[in-house]
Amino acid sequence: MATANKNLSNYDKNTMPNASQMRFGIVVSEWNEEITEGLYNGAYETLVDLGVLPDNIVRENVPGSFELPFGAKLILENDKVDAVIAIGVVIQGETKHFDFVCHGVTQGIVELNHHYSAPTIFCVLTDMNIEQSRARSGGEHGNKGVEAAVAAVKMVDLCKRKAR
Ligand SMILES: Nc1c(NC[C@H](O)[C@H](O)[C@H](O)CO)[nH]c(=O)[nH]c1=O
Ligand SMILES: CC(=O)[C@@H](O)COP(=O)(O)O
């Protein structure tokens, strides 16, 4: 199913775990700030809607998506969080740089999930143009930041259940 057939902002609060005791880090890329701020707002507002206390959400910024894994690593190692949401927007330009940034951030986040017991959620848009990014950060296809926050709460709940 493509994003075009699924609204990224849809979730059923009644079926979601209680997130009132959960702590989250959010690392945000400064590239394409218009879009990443929309994703951040979607993620933050959804976490709070699901019961997370604002004091239990720590935000850090990094220059670009390529730095997201390292920024997430700093949060995982220095802040007592249950999960990190990594927010970035990579938009195709004239060269192959897009491919390398996308691969780097993707592989970096995969490696974090292999290394740490707290999950890092992949909230990175990899779009052909800014119109696609706008549509996925609060536009016609919803907000990937909302989707990422829902995934983060579900994964933290899974971690806590498995640790019992
Ligand atoms: N072109 C985009 C970038 N490029 C910057 C890299 O992410 C990185 O910060 C730089 O190569 C220095 O290491 N980053 C994005 O997040 N989005 C882009 O579209
Ligand atoms: C994803 C990128 O790094 C890209 O936006 C940079 O643009 P260009 O390929 O034209 O240098």
Side-chain angles (χ1 to χ4, degrees):
M1 174 187 283
T3 298
N5 303 317
K6 167 187 166 53
N7 188 297
L8 295 167
S9 296
N10 284 349
Y11 65 94
D12 181 354
K13 190 173 176 180
N14 296 316
T15 65
M16 290 296 296
N18 178 347
S20 61
Q21 301 303 309
M22 298 180 185
R23 296 176 50 83
F24 294 92
I26 306 180
V27 57
V28 186
S29 165
E30 294 169 345
W31 257 79
N32 299 308
E33 185 179 9
E34 168 203 343
I35 308 298
T36 58
E37 287 305 312
L39 295 172
Y40 171 79
N41 292 335
Y44 180 90
E45 291 165 7
T46 301
L47 290 176
V48 171
D49 182 53
L50 294 174
V52 180
L53 302 178
D55 283 349
N56 289 341
I57 301 172
V58 58
R59 172 176 173 164
E60 297 296 346
N61 295 338
V62 293
S65 291
F66 194 84
E67 286 75 38
L68 285 173
F70 193 82
K73 177 175 180 273
L74 290 174
I75 294 174
L76 289 165
E77 294 187 345
N78 295 283
D79 299 289
K80 293 182 175 56
V81 298
D82 297 308
V84 174
I85 299 172
I87 293 178
V89 177
V90 192
I91 298 176
Q92 177 67 64
E94 297 174 352
T95 72
K96 289 181 63 64
H97 196 237
F98 171 88
D99 300 335
F100 295 99
V101 172
C102 291
H103 177 75
V105 61
T106 302
Q107 191 55 35
I109 290 174
V110 166
E111 289 169 8
L112 290 176
N113 282 294
H114 288 170
H115 185 79
Y116 292 95
S117 57
T120 299
I121 305 300
F122 186 77
C123 186
V124 180
L125 297 180
T126 54
D127 298 331
M128 294 297 101
N129 53 60
I130 197 162
E131 289 76 21
Q132 289 180 350
S133 302
R134 289 183 177 128
R136 290 159 176 77
S137 57
E140 65 178 309
H141 296 318
N143 191 322
K144 198 162 200 59
V146 174
E147 180 193 50
V150 169
V153 167
K154 288 180 176 179
M155 289 306 294
V156 170
D157 178 64
L158 176 59
C159 290
K160 291 180 181 295
R161 285 188 283 113
K162 288 302 183 181
R164 286 177 191 148

